[in-house]
Amino acid sequence: MATLKALVVDDASFVRDLVKRTLRQRFPVIETTDAQNGRRAQSLMSRTTFDLILCDWEMPEMSGLELLQWMRKQPQYEKVPFIMITSRGDKDHVVEAVREGVSEYLGKPFSPDGLSKKIIKVMGRKLKDVMDRSGKSMEGPADAFKESAALLTQKRESAPAPAVPDVRPAASPLLKKGGAGGEKPPASRGAMSAASVRFADYTLKSVVKDINLTEVRVIARSDQQFPGILDQAVVDIEVAEDQMARLNGYVQQLQAVDKRQDTDFVSVTIRFVDEDPKKMEELSRFIARFRAGAR
C-alpha cells in the first residue's frame, strides 16, 4: 500500500507516463499524481501535501523554476525534495535552479536507472524505511543507497551541485563531403541542417531530412548506435545563431534509406511531445528557414 506521495509535473503526457511507470515499478510505496503545468501543480500542492516533486522546467502558464520558487516559500514544502527533469542542461540554468533550492537535476532523456538513483538520493532513509516496512524490495541499481549514504549525513547547503549534462550539438559527419567512408549523404529536399538526437546514454549525430510541428525525420550513418521504437529522445536544433531549441519526443520509426541490407544511412522519425507555445514558436521559425532553403 502506497504511503508516500509524489507529484509529476510536465506538459508532455508521454514524459509524465514514463516517470509514473518507473515509480510504480521500482517504488510501489509511492503514490503518483500528475499535472500538465506549474499552475495546475500549484493548485494540487495547496490541497495535498506531497513527499516528492518531479518537475519539468519549460512549461506553459508556470515554469518549473517558478513553481520551485513558490514552493520554497511554503512552510510545508521548505524541505520537500524537488527534482528538476529537463532538457536544459547549460551551466547557467543549473546554477539558477540550485540557487532556488532544487534538490537534484536530471537531464532528458533519462533512463529508469538514472531516475531511480535521483529519487533514492533525495529521499534517502525515509524511502528505505517505508519500503522495508511494506516488505517491498528495490528494483534497479543495487548500490544506489550506498552511493547516497554520504549525502544522508550532510546538510543541504553542503551538498554538491548536480552534474551538468553536455547538451552541445556535435558536428555531424554527414555534413562533411563524402563522409567518413567516402559515401555522400542521401539528397535532401532542403538545406542540410545538423541535428543532435540525444538518448539516455548516447547521442545520434544526424541531419534533418524533413520537419513539421509534430515530427522530425533525420538521416544518420548506420555505423552509430541506434535507439528502439518508443525510446524517449531530445532533439537539439539550432533555430538561430547561438540559440538552440531542445524538443522532447520519442522514436516513432526507424527505416533503412535504401533497400540494401548494408545500407550506409538510416532514417529516424522522432515524434514531438512538447506542448509549450514558446517551443512551438521556435520550431516554426526553424521550419520556415528550412523550407526556404529548398527553393
Side-chain angles (χ1 to χ4, degrees), residues 155-211:
K155 294 182 178 179
R156 179 178 157 193
E157 59 268 20
S158 64
V164 182
D166 184 4
V167 297
R168 295 171 297 176
S172 172
L174 289 171
L175 298 177
K176 299 177 182 178
K177 187 175 181 181
E183 309 90 343
K184 293 183 179 180
S188 176
R189 188 177 67 185
M192 285 289 188
S193 298
S196 287
V197 186
R198 288 186 280 127
F199 299 96
D201 302 312
Y202 62 96
T203 297
L204 184 69
K205 300 175 183 178
S206 60
V207 293
V208 177
K209 174 69 174 177
D210 197 10
I211 187 168

Side-chain angles (χ1 to χ4, degrees), residues 1-13:
M1 182 177 180
T3 57
L4 297 174
K5 295 182 179 181
L7 179 61
V8 181
V9 191
D10 200 297
D11 64 317
S13 59

Side-chain angles (χ1 to χ4, degrees), residues 5 33 43-50 76-77:
K5 295 182 179 181
T33 303
S43 176
L44 291 169
M45 292 168 68
S46 298
R47 301 198 302 267
T48 303
T49 300
F50 293 93
Q76 72 272 33
Y77 284 114

